[in-house]
Amino acid sequence: MLDGIKHILRSIRVFRRSKAGNPNQAFGEALQQHIASSAELNQHSFSHQKPTYEHFVGEEDDDDYEEDFGVVDCECDDENKRKCGRKDCPRPNIATILVCVLLFLVFVLLPAVYLLHCFDLLKSHWEVNEDGNGDGPSGYSAWEYAMVDHTYGDSVIGDFASSAKGKGALKKRLREIVITERPPVLETSAPTRSPTPPPHSQCSALPEARRFDCFPGEGASKEGCEARGCCWVPTVQEVRRDYNYGSKVEVNSEGQGNKEPNNLSNSVDSHNEGGKMKNVADRKAAEGEGLPPLNVPYCYFPPGDTGHYYSWVNISSEVVPSYRDLELDPLEDERSLMETGLGSMTGFLKLHTPSPYPSDIPLLRVDVKFETKERLRVKITDASHPRYEPPYPEVPILDISRKDRNTVQPQDSLYRVEMDKSRVGFAVIRRSNNRTLFDSRSVGALVYADQFLQMSALLPSDSSMYGIGEHQAPLNLPVNWQRFVLFNHDSVPKNNTNLYGSHPFYMATEKDGSSHGVFLLNSNAMEVILQPGPAVTFRAIGGVIDLHFFLGPSPREVVAQYTDLVGRPFMPPLWGLGFHLCRFGYKTLNRTREVCESVRKAGIPLDVQWNDLDYMKQGNDFTYDPETFKGLPEFVEELHKLGMHYVPLIDAGISGGDKAGTYPPYDEGLAAGVFIKNSSGLPFVGKVWNKVSTVWPDFTNPTSVPYWSTQMERLHKQVAFDGAWIDMNEPSNFYSGTEKGCPTSGTEPGPYGRREADLEHPPYLPPVEGSLLAFKTVCMSARHFAGSHYDVHNLHGFTHAIVTSFAMTELRGRRPFVISRSTFAGHGHYAGHWSGDEASTWTDMANTVPAILNFNIFGVPLVGADICGFNGNTTVELCSRWSQLGAFYPFSRNHNTDDGIDQDPVSLGPLVVQSARKALLIRYSLLPYLYTLFWRAHAFGDTVARPLFFEFPDDPNTHGIDRQFLWGSGFMIVPVLDEGKTAVDAYIPKGIWYDFYSKEVISSSETGHMVTLPAPADTIPLLVRGGTIIPMQAPNMTTGQTRQNKIELMVAVDNDTTASGVLYWDDDDSLNTWEEGHYSFLTFTLGKGNTTPGRRPDSNAELAAKQVTGTAEGSVLSGVVTWRGVPVPVNLGAVRVMGVSGPVRGVSANGQSVPFSYDTKSKYLVVENLDLDLNTVFIIMWY
């Protein structure tokens, strides 16, 4: 404070010395100096040192100080030749003293007393906030916070704006700043309006489904609610649990809440002992206490609220000049509605009433960008100051207003946007049916404080909701007051818990199948609330509101549009689609080899052997134990000779406790400054698997790329691994912060503008597991290159995957194969995922199906779960059924923990061996089809494993199905998910469906219906959809060996005797084969008569067929290479057709009669022993 006063005094001197000149200029210079020093004033506001002369002016300013304050320097008469002292200075008389005293009383003392009285009153109402949940950050009273928060203060502009003369000029100025790329700071006086609670009759009339929570967190009461200007209407008299900190609130008949004491306000570091947190967080975690359910809020925003905290001050439209729909400035135009054409809009929202959270943003900028015909972006930011935004994923910036100016027409867009000057918010409307998809206009309230952002919106009334991960829940998300917390965390999968990844993306599908998606690009901790409106509320504790809308209109198109934004999925190598085997607890290389060989001897296909933590030396990354895993490099070479591959674990943390010079990953990381830093600028130290301590590379730091690549290269020179398994990268930590917790005592803002206490204990805490952001992870005050850990926590695993993918590409010169536990939006562009530490239970096995489907919706198609479960002990029946299901995970791996029984197929006996072998041989036979699906995901953003409603969106019965799923559009998997069952009920959508095993028709109906399918103990029911052609190969022990066999076509005839399919072929491991054209693409088509569907009639091939058969009747199956970048090295060996109406009199292939077999009962035609070149057109006919 004293240094700040010093700057103020200097500013005054500037003004005084310039009063002979231009006074306005002088005041401007003085004010500028004052503003420039405001940060320093904040820094010293709480200094209680006694002021000294040097504190005010410093030694160099003595003369100026004396001049300014009238200090008299007495001078002696040289003629008297006597030493001058204080007693020789001239002294004022008594009259002068009395006048000075009177002036002092009138102009100093009385005003000071008055001001102190005012401040005392303020302080008596604003108590010191201990935990950061009140009106100011932790450790401040709201009054002190107001005194030091000069971030947005500018009294000159505020006074000008509030004056009668200034209002008109302010309007004009606001219209001017709309068109600037970055508006200048426009500040207003701090809002003084107090919210007024509405009458009870108005509140009670609002339907419960439309009540949006006004008081999230703990401490809700009638007084506190009405102080926020909100409705207080308890719906029931019960004991409810306040979810934020786990305290109970007993609600009496008057709706008053009596809260139990809550111990969580104590700081973390004061409750640590020996690395274990002695507080509620650890107790709740140990007891397995999940989050209590939500219900109708007692305290909610009033109905018809046009803008609880903000109001519009300007909306401006910038549209394509050739067809501007409407341009409206609501400050001057009385019309209430604004519809835009294609282009963009910018609006400004001004704070008129403070929210209950500290540091409201006084002026918001709302940018609406019409990026493509199907995609819209609405971004709400601080109009005056930059805020943290996630650097990844790197989303493209598009603007139709500047693209295709002369070709895009308004009617071509799938949406329009409406903004109403009388209501805060906006609406996104589908043009085709005028359906409102997202309406935030006066829905709940827009809250935009520094550490609390909230927006609510109404959704289509008949919507089914999907996405918002990672969580354990049904595929079709319940909207009956459901909460999803997004904050990456190492936890066993369970309900109502934040898990390993964060994907703030949802898709809504209406009853008629029309779908759209919404993505909030924000990496801070958040919660997403679904309520019966249906409605959604996004509530984040930092960043910005950056919403992206995808108009579909089909579910498949929504996912394609989303991945077009965040990044298309990477193309995995073919060997990555084989079967993988792992175990935490092999403990030795000998045991690893034994299990691997036993599985192969049992005839079970196996492509990749993995090792968990136990291969490392003392748990350290980039090492292997030279004793227990002696000979590991030679073992890996043996695998390569068998056509197999090897993947080791590489954790996110680096050992920080080894002696200097003995562990290069630490020494080199320390020298490069690559590790995450604590608030003091030193490497942040925690503990994971390393013997002493752990540090974490900061993967947002560019130096992490060469550092991480170097470490991986060093290990690769010893052990030639083929892929990387990255784990514990949420990041997970055995401590909650450091061994002593997290720092909260710092009173000065850190390099990113917030104090330690604000980061560790923000004003609002989403209900994360452990009730603490740093619970079993890094402190929020830790520092990264891209920002504080508070902001980038959810990006750690994602950036880990990005850097690891790059390193693998550089090492092998081929496609990277990376599997990561922690994920974020866009993760599928770089790596795959597995669902974490599932328990060996029937419930957890069933829950993996919606988990797999969700990640395909998130654009991460390479996803699987630990077959037979990770934690606990499996059973023979469970592992048998799980092996059947796991064979159809896109990423198929058996893995379990070190304290469980062996669960590789051979160890559990003949039933599990038979189930695994049977299902995996089918998987390997379908590799051409599966590989083509991954290519479609990589090239076009399609899904691999997909829910039924993706193919049948207009059938509402499919919208909630998550116990069966599809590969692509034509292959259905119906797993047995219940103990003791040998049959399973399945929903069969409209159309013809064939049993994969018997080849017979299972269902042929114009509507969907339930069917009971037989499921013997070693068999998983599989169905093929009519109209599908699936390319296959005879299976072998590895993907490479299978790849050498001839292509076979499985054809499922539709009602109209047609079918189609495709095949993508490349060398299965090279980089950029699709992008560079090094592939071949084949289309297969079945038609009736003398016309091949999709090709010109009377082509040479068809004429040749007529000549051979002598008739135009029959079925024609053709294959055509539509792109030939590389030759297809294998020929067509067989065709098997289901649903052929007999009798079949003859079959020809390229004009030559060929032998065949036909089953009249199952109507199944088999043509084998073919050898047709797939690099040219082929024709097969039967008649």
Side-chain angles (χ1 to χ4, degrees):
M1 174 178 286
L2 298 176
D3 288 344
I5 293 174
K6 173 180 173 181
H7 281 283
I8 294 174
L9 294 177
R10 287 177 176 169
S11 301
I12 294 173
R13 288 199 298 273
V14 172
F15 178 74
R16 292 169 69 187
R17 290 171 179 172
S18 305
K19 57 186 178 181
N22 186 336
N24 292 331
Q25 178 181 357
F27 180 76
E29 293 174 358
L31 181 62
Q32 193 63 35
Q33 288 196 27
H34 171 56
I35 294 174
S37 64
S38 62
E40 193 169 355
L41 177 61
N42 293 344
Q43 184 178 0
H44 297 280
S45 294
F46 292 93
S47 173
H48 297 291
Q49 300 176 27
K50 183 178 179 180
T52 66
Y53 179 80
E54 287 74 21
H55 275 130
F56 283 98
V57 295
E59 296 179 358
E60 73 278 12
D61 290 323
D62 288 355
D63 294 339
D64 291 337
Y65 179 81
E66 293 165 358
E67 175 187 339
D68 294 335
F69 289 93
V71 176
V72 179
D73 184 13
C74 62
E75 298 180 1
C76 299
D77 187 354
D78 291 339
E79 294 181 357
N80 295 329
K81 300 184 182 292
R82 58 184 176 91
K83 187 176 181 180
C84 180
R86 177 174 293 273
K87 62 180 182 179
D88 300 305
C89 295
R91 299 179 181 177
N93 57 32
I94 190 64
T96 302
I97 293 175
L98 290 175
V99 170
C100 291
V101 170
L102 181 61
L103 292 173
F104 177 79
L105 290 173
V106 173
F107 293 103
V108 178
L109 186 58
L110 291 178
V113 170
Y114 173 75
L115 290 174
L116 288 173
H117 173 69
C118 294
F119 290 167
D120 185 63
L121 287 176
L122 288 172
K123 294 186 74 172
S124 68
H125 286 83
W126 290 343
E127 298 299 327
V128 173
N129 182 21
E130 297 293 340
D131 58 6
N133 291 307
D135 293 320
S138 177
Y140 288 69
S141 72
W143 174 79
E144 290 170 329
Y145 185 75
M147 291 302 293
V148 300
D149 182 19
H150 297 284
T151 308
Y152 304 103
D154 191 332
S155 60
V156 176
I157 298 179
D159 293 340
F160 175 72
S162 61
S163 67
K165 185 176 180 180
K167 287 180 179 177
L170 180 59
K171 274 189 173 183
K172 181 178 179 181
R173 177 61 183 140
L174 281 170
R175 286 193 294 272
E176 292 172 354
I177 67 173
V178 168
I179 62 173
T180 63
E181 184 66 25
R182 180 70 181 172
V185 177
L186 177 70
E187 309 293 2
T188 61
S189 301
T192 57
R193 175 172 144 189
S194 298
T196 303
H200 185 273
S201 58
Q202 180 183 354
C203 291
S204 58
L206 186 66
E208 291 183 352
R210 297 293 181 94
R211 298 180 180 181
F212 293 88
D213 197 350
C214 179
F215 209 128
E218 70 167 353
S221 66
K222 181 178 181 181
E223 291 76 9
C225 177
E226 292 181 348
R228 300 184 178 199
C230 293
C231 297
W232 177 262
V233 180
T235 56
V236 292
Q237 297 181 25
E238 62 178 5
V239 176
R240 64 185 177 92
R241 185 171 294 278
D242 204 347
Y243 64 81
N244 196 7
Y245 290 103
S247 59
K248 284 194 278 188
V249 180
E250 295 186 8
V251 181
N252 57 30
S253 59
E254 285 78 31
Q256 301 294 326
N258 300 312
K259 188 176 59 178
E260 288 183 353
N262 191 323
N263 296 327
L264 225 71
S265 60
N266 295 318
S267 62
V268 176
D269 52 352
S270 64
H271 287 268
N272 275 285
E273 185 176 307
K276 296 182 179 180
M277 293 187 60
K278 303 299 183 182
N279 60 13
V280 178
D282 269 341
R283 177 181 57 77
K284 287 179 63 178
E287 294 172 356
E289 182 179 343
L291 298 176
L294 291 177
N295 210 320
V296 182
Y298 301 162
C299 181
Y300 53 91
F301 291 102
D305 197 346
T306 58
H308 204 73
Y309 302 116
Y310 288 92
S311 58
W312 289 109
V313 292
N314 190 280
I315 305 176
S316 176
S317 175
E318 176 190 348
V319 296
V320 180
S322 60
Y323 48 83
R324 181 175 301 174
D325 282 357
L326 182 65
E327 187 171 6
L328 170 67
D329 183 346
L331 291 174
E332 297 179 352
D333 199 311
E334 293 302 321
R335 289 172 291 177
S336 63
L337 189 65
M338 155 173 212
E339 176 186 338
T340 68
L342 290 176
S344 61
M345 287 190 296
T346 299
F348 287 85
L349 292 165
K350 184 180 70 172
L351 183 73
H352 59 70
T353 302
S355 79
Y357 303 96
S359 301
D360 287 303
I361 308 303
L363 187 67
L364 299 176
R365 174 169 178 152
V366 183
D367 286 307
V368 182
K369 295 289 185 181
F370 300 80
E371 295 191 330
T372 71
K373 292 183 295 183
E374 304 87 9
R375 192 169 86 221
L376 166 74
R377 184 178 191 176
V378 179
K379 187 175 183 179
I380 305 176
T381 59
D382 185 340
S384 305
H385 301 86
R387 290 179 58 81
Y388 165 79
E389 298 182 38
Y392 305 101
E394 298 181 72
V395 298
I397 299 176
L398 303 175
D399 189 346
I400 276 187
S401 64
R402 295 185 173 91
K403 180 183 177 183
D404 299 333
R405 228 178 248 273
N406 299 320
T407 60
V408 178
Q409 299 297 317
Q411 60 268 21
D412 293 335
S413 68
L414 301 184
Y415 56 85
R416 70 176 192 271
V417 177
E418 292 181 355
M419 300 173 75
D420 188 333
K421 73 173 184 179
S422 65
R423 297 182 293 169
V424 170
F426 61 92
V428 179
I429 300 168
R430 184 188 295 119
R431 283 187 182 273
S432 62
N433 58 6
N434 208 37
R435 192 86 186 267
T436 301
L437 306 180
F438 187 95
D439 191 352
S440 66
R441 294 172 297 182
S442 298
V443 176
L446 174 65
V447 186
Y448 212 119
D450 180 45
Q451 291 181 269
F452 186 92
L453 283 66
Q454 177 172 294
M455 169 178 276
S456 302
L458 296 174
L459 307 176
S461 59
D462 58 352
S463 295
S464 294
M465 300 291 292
Y466 311 92
I468 315 176
E470 182 175 8
H471 59 263
Q472 188 174 83
L475 178 67
N476 188 348
L477 300 177
V479 296
N480 187 25
W481 307 104
Q482 186 72 25
R483 171 184 50 234
F484 302 97
V485 179
L486 277 60
F487 189 68
N488 295 3
H489 175 56
D490 177 2
S491 171
V492 295
K494 55 188 176 183
N495 294 336
N496 301 319
T497 303
N498 50 303
L499 298 179
Y500 311 106
S502 293
H503 296 266
F505 168 76
Y506 73 77
M507 180 167 63
T509 298
E510 298 149 51
K511 282 188 177 180
D512 66 355
S514 299
S515 302
H516 75 277
V518 178
F519 169 50
L520 173 60
L521 181 51
N522 184 301
S523 65
N524 287 88
M526 72 172 72
E527 56 185 319
V528 183
I529 309 296
L530 298 179
Q531 64 188 71
V536 62
T537 295
F538 291 103
R539 188 179 294 146
I541 62 171
V544 301
I545 296 176
D546 190 0
L547 292 166
H548 299 256
F549 297 84
F550 311 94
L551 271 292
S554 71
R556 291 177 65 178
E557 289 171 305
V558 170
V559 172
Q561 292 156 14
Y562 172 62
T563 57
D564 183 51
L565 179 78
V566 300
R568 298 283 198 223
F570 81 106
M571 184 68 184
L574 179 66
W575 60 263
L577 305 184
F579 178 54
H580 302 245
L581 187 62
C582 188
R583 168 76 194 272
F584 178 27
Y586 285 141
K587 297 183 180 177
T588 68
L589 178 60
N590 289 338
R591 181 57 182 160
T592 303
R593 180 183 278 108
E594 287 175 10
V595 174
C596 179
E597 291 177 351
S598 68
V599 170
R600 287 176 53 81
K601 287 179 181 178
I604 298 173
L606 177 61
D607 258 86
V608 190
Q609 180 63 56
W610 296 46
N611 273 124
D612 205 320
L613 179 72
D614 38 15
Y615 86 95
M616 298 180 185
K617 181 181 180 181
Q618 297 183 343
N620 289 356
D621 273 354
F622 309 114
T623 68
Y624 75 92
D625 194 307
E627 296 180 2
T628 57
F629 276 79
K630 181 180 180 180
L632 180 59
E634 292 77 15
F635 172 69
V636 173
E637 289 306 315
E638 292 172 14
L639 294 177
H640 289 164
K641 290 176 182 179
L642 294 170
M644 296 176 63
H645 296 79
Y646 179 73
V647 174
L649 174 71
I650 302 177
D651 270 337
I654 298 295
S655 173
D658 292 83
K659 185 178 179 181
T662 63
Y663 184 52
Y666 178 74
D667 298 331
E668 294 170 6
L670 197 63
V674 77
F675 298 127
I676 298 173
K677 296 175 174 57
N678 60 25
S679 56
S680 300
L682 300 174
F684 182 92
V685 179
K687 179 74 168 64
V688 192
W689 297 111
N690 312 110
K691 297 299 181 183
V692 179
S693 63
T694 303
V695 295
W696 287 266
D698 171 12
F699 294 106
T700 70
N701 190 331
T703 61
S704 67
V705 177
Y707 164 77
W708 198 250
S709 298
T710 298
Q711 308 315 316
M712 293 189 69
E713 182 181 13
R714 182 181 289 119
L715 177 61
H716 193 266
K717 287 180 178 178
Q718 302 176 66
V719 181
F721 57 91
D722 304 288
W725 173 24
I726 53 178
D727 192 10
M728 307 292 285
N729 52 354
E730 291 74 25
S732 178
N733 186 1
F734 293 167
Y735 300 144
S736 293
T738 69
E739 187 176 6
K740 296 182 179 180
C742 293
T744 58
S745 58
T747 59
E748 305 298 336
Y752 306 111
R754 299 189 182 110
R755 300 177 309 139
E756 292 169 347
D758 301 331
L759 298 171
E760 306 298 344
H761 303 289
Y764 177 78
L765 176 68
V768 297
E769 186 173 41
S771 301
L772 184 74
L773 289 177
F775 180 64
K776 304 307 181 188
T777 190
V778 172
C779 292
M780 298 299 107
S781 55
R783 300 173 185 177
H784 295 249
F785 180 85
S788 65
H789 194 77
Y790 178 90
D791 290 321
V792 305
H793 171 86
N794 284 343
L795 297 178
H796 188 75
F798 182 33
T799 54
H800 187 195
I802 293 173
V803 175
T804 304
S805 176
F806 173 82
M808 287 302 308
T809 303
E810 292 293 301
L811 275 179
R812 298 179 68 243
R814 282 174 274 181
R815 294 179 199 165
F817 180 85
V818 179
I819 299 293
S820 172
R821 189 170 71 178
S822 180
T823 63
F824 188 71
H827 178 88
H829 188 61
Y830 303 95
H833 171 66
W834 94 104
S835 62
D837 298 344
E838 305 280 0
S840 295
T841 66
W842 290 89
T843 298
D844 271 25
M845 178 177 68
N847 284 331
T848 66
V849 177
I852 300 307
L853 299 178
N854 253 324
F855 269 87
N856 274 265
I857 293 174
F858 297 147
V860 188
L862 187 65
V863 59
D866 286 341
I867 295 173
C868 302
F870 178 78
N871 282 320
N873 289 326
T874 190
T875 65
V876 170
E877 184 186 2
L878 173 62
C879 195
S880 173
R881 290 303 190 186
W882 209 326
S883 295
Q884 297 164 16
L885 168 61
F888 296 95
Y889 291 152
F891 166 58
S892 181
R893 183 186 69 167
N894 183 308
H895 176 53
N896 72 316
T897 186
D898 62 337
D899 58 1
I901 63 173
D902 292 339
Q903 68 176 37
D904 59 273
V906 176
S907 68
L908 289 173
L911 177 60
V912 179
V913 168
Q914 174 63 14
S915 292
R917 179 171 55 222
K918 185 174 183 179
L920 284 169
L921 285 173
I922 294 173
R923 176 190 180 92
Y924 274 59
S925 72
L926 292 169
L927 280 173
Y929 178 67
L930 180 61
Y931 191 68
T932 299
L933 290 177
F934 270 96
W935 164 76
R936 291 192 61 88
H938 174 66
F940 307 111
D942 227 337
T943 54
V944 174
R946 66 187 60 160
L948 269 64
F949 79 88
F950 266 54
E951 293 298 320
F952 304 94
D954 57 347
D955 182 355
N957 293 320
T958 65
H959 292 187
I961 293 176
D962 59 8
R963 292 174 66 87
Q964 57 193 87
F965 61 98
L966 297 166
W967 268 11
S969 60
F971 191 80
M972 186 187 295
I973 298 98
V974 188
V976 178
L977 302 175
D978 297 304
E979 188 174 8
K981 301 292 185 181
T982 55
V984 60
D985 294 330
Y987 181 80
I988 310 300
K990 64 182 179 181
I992 298 180
W993 291 86
Y994 300 88
D995 183 276
F996 176 82
Y997 303 101
S998 69
K999 316 302 180 187
E1000 296 181 353
V1001 174
I1002 292 296
S1003 173
S1004 178
S1005 174
E1006 292 300 319
T1007 59
H1009 60 286
M1010 297 298 297
V1011 173
T1012 300
L1013 302 174
D1018 65 347
T1019 302
I1020 180 172
L1022 303 171
L1023 305 179
V1024 183
R1025 182 183 181 185
T1028 302
I1029 298 178
I1030 296 179
M1032 303 174 66
Q1033 288 176 297
N1036 213 319
M1037 292 300 294
T1038 66
T1039 56
Q1041 293 170 336
T1042 301
R1043 186 77 156 169
Q1044 298 171 17
N1045 297 330
K1046 291 181 180 180
I1047 293 292
E1048 301 175 356
L1049 297 181
M1050 181 171 60
V1051 183
V1053 178
D1054 207 348
N1055 284 321
D1056 55 0
T1057 321
T1058 62
S1060 62
V1062 298
L1063 171 66
Y1064 173 84
W1065 187 280
D1066 61 18
D1067 71 358
D1068 72 48
D1069 202 7
S1070 291
L1071 295 165
N1072 304 319
T1073 53
W1074 157 248
E1075 292 79 2
E1076 297 175 1
H1078 301 317
Y1079 67 94
S1080 285
F1081 186 71
L1082 292 80
T1083 60
F1084 309 111
T1085 309
L1086 173 67
K1088 185 72 175 177
N1090 61 1
T1091 300
T1092 302
R1095 305 184 67 240
R1096 184 173 60 86
D1098 297 327
S1099 66
N1100 292 335
E1102 291 166 8
L1103 290 174
K1106 288 182 183 181
Q1107 294 171 1
V1108 171
T1109 62
T1111 177
E1113 299 299 326
S1115 296
V1116 181
L1117 173 65
S1118 65
V1120 179
V1121 180
T1122 59
W1123 178 270
R1124 185 182 176 188
V1126 296
V1128 180
V1130 294
N1131 291 342
L1132 179 65
V1135 173
R1136 299 178 176 88
V1137 189
M1138 296 176 285
V1140 177
S1141 298
V1144 177
R1145 298 187 298 272
V1147 178
S1148 66
N1150 286 346
Q1152 303 293 322
S1153 294
V1154 294
F1156 66 93
S1157 65
Y1158 177 71
D1159 187 325
T1160 56
K1161 178 184 177 182
S1162 60
K1163 299 182 179 181
Y1164 181 50
L1165 172 67
V1166 178
V1167 184
E1168 296 180 319
N1169 299 316
L1170 298 173
D1171 194 23
L1172 302 181
D1173 187 355
L1174 289 173
N1175 296 290
T1176 61
V1177 175
F1178 71 82
I1179 297 288
I1180 298 175
M1181 291 191 64
W1182 55 91
Y1183 51 93

